[in-house]
Amino acid sequence: MKRAFLLLASIFVCMTAMPVFSSEVDRIGTAVKVGNDRGDSALASGKSVASISQGDCKYSLALLENQHVQFHSPDAVFLESKIIPKDEYWPHLVQAEMSAGYDWSFKENNNFKSKWFGLMCESAENFGLLRSDQSKSAGGDSPELQFVKEANDLKCPATLTEKGWVPNVNAGRPEDYVFRKLSGANWSGFMFGFKSENRGSMSRINFCLVHDGDVLLGSAISNSKPSWIDEKAFEEIESTLRTVTFTP
C-alpha cells in the first residue's frame, strides 16, 4: 500500500536523486549528517548540505549563509539568522495527547521575526485525502487512526489527482491562501501560504513533500505583528524547499 502511492506520485517527478545531491555538495562544498545516529550532528549551519535522517524520511537540504537546521527527534527546525540563537529561543514542536490519538504543531516565541519552518515525517498511509482514492478505503479505520488521518489532512490540505496536486475542502476559500505546486529531484508536493488580515502578509505556511510513500510535513506560524511571513519570505522558503533531495 505504501509503495503503491509512488505509482501516482512518480508521474510528476524525475528520479535523479544522487546526481542532484552530489551537485549540491560540489557547489556548496560541505556535507553535514544530521540526526541522532552515532557520528551525526544535531546542527548544520552556514553554507552546507544537511543530510537529514528523520524517521523514515531521509533527505538532504541545501543551506546558505546564515541558515541553520537543528534536529530534535522526531522533528527538525530550519532557521535563518545571523546569530544562532540559544536552544530555548528556537521555534519548537508542541505535542498534545488527545483522547483518540495525538496532534502536534510548531510554536515560536512572541514577536519572533526570523524566517523558520518546522519539519515532521509521516507515512502517506496515515492520510485520508492525500490521493483521490484514499477516502474509499477509510471504512475500517480505528477511531485512533481516523483521528490521525483527519489531523494530517488538515496539515496537508491538497489531493494528488491525475491532473496533479489540487487544494481540497480542508484548504478553505481560494481567496484566503496562496497555493503552489512543488517538485524536486525525486518528489512532488505543494505549499500553502494562508493570508493574514494585513495585505501582503501571511499568518502561516504549510507544505508537504511526498516521496516513496513518505511525507515530509512542514509548518511555520507567525505571532509577530506585522507578520514576518510576507510574499518575499514565501518565495524564499519555496526556493529552499526546491533543494530537497530524498536519499536511500
Side-chain angles (χ1 to χ4, degrees):
M1 181 71 174
K2 180 178 179 180
R3 297 299 174 186
F5 183 80
L6 180 62
L7 296 177
L8 185 55
S10 61
I11 298 174
F12 306 98
V13 299
C14 298
M15 304 302 291
T16 55
M18 294 311 294
V20 172
F21 175 75
S22 299
S23 66
E24 288 293 347
V25 174
D26 292 341
R27 180 175 68 86
I28 295 176
T30 303
V32 180
K33 291 184 65 177
V34 177
N36 57 7
D37 292 335
R38 179 174 295 182
D40 288 354
S41 173
L43 178 70
S45 186
K47 292 184 178 179
S48 61
V49 174
S51 180
I52 303 170
S53 180
Q54 186 178 0
D56 289 337
C57 295
K58 303 183 189 304
Y59 58 99
S60 67
L61 177 68
L63 302 178
L64 303 177
E65 186 176 2
N66 300 323
Q67 293 182 345
H68 323 277
V69 167
Q70 188 177 67
F71 179 83
H72 296 97
S73 182
D75 66 288
V77 175
F78 168 95
L79 174 67
E80 186 170 291
S81 175
K82 291 182 178 180
I83 300 175
I84 303 175
K86 295 180 180 180
D87 286 352
E88 58 264 32
Y89 297 122
W90 279 69
H92 58 278
L93 178 70
V94 177
Q95 298 189 78
E97 186 174 353
M98 313 295 279
S99 59
Y102 73 98
D103 197 11
W104 58 264
S105 60
F106 285 92
K107 184 178 180 181
E108 67 177 22
N109 295 320
N110 289 334
N111 297 318
F112 195 87
K113 296 186 182 299
S114 296
K115 187 189 312 172
W116 69 275
F117 54 80
L119 295 159
M120 289 283 278
C121 181
E122 183 62 274
S123 170
E125 293 180 351
N126 292 333
F127 291 80
L129 299 175
L130 200 59
R131 68 173 190 263
S132 56
D133 64 341
Q134 274 185 307
S135 60
K136 300 176 183 179
S137 60
D141 291 343
S142 66
E144 292 80 9
L145 180 56
Q146 186 61 38
F147 178 88
V148 170
K149 286 185 174 182
E150 290 173 358
N152 286 337
D153 287 338
L154 289 173
K155 295 179 177 69
C156 294
T159 300
L160 183 61
T161 70
E162 293 181 353
K163 297 181 180 180
W165 293 103
V166 295
N168 59 40
V169 64
N170 287 328
R173 303 184 305 172
E175 59 266 30
D176 291 338
Y177 60 78
V178 176
F179 175 74
R180 195 71 51 86
K181 296 180 184 180
L182 302 176
S183 62
N186 55 359
W187 56 268
S188 70
F190 52 89
M191 180 178 180
F192 283 90
F194 292 94
K195 299 176 182 178
S196 68
E197 296 178 356
N198 297 322
R199 184 182 180 90
S201 67
M202 304 174 186
S203 59
R204 61 187 172 97
I205 287 175
N206 287 85
F207 60 84
C208 300
L209 315 182
V210 182
H211 163 75
D212 199 19
D214 296 316
V215 185
L216 187 63
L217 296 85
S219 173
I221 187 169
S222 177
N223 294 323
S224 60
K225 296 182 180 180
S227 171
W228 62 265
I229 309 177
D230 55 17
E231 295 175 0
K232 180 181 179 182
F234 182 86
E235 298 291 340
E236 290 174 347
I237 289 177
E238 178 186 354
S239 295
T240 298
L241 296 178
R242 291 189 183 278
T243 73
V244 169
T245 299
F246 285 85
T247 53

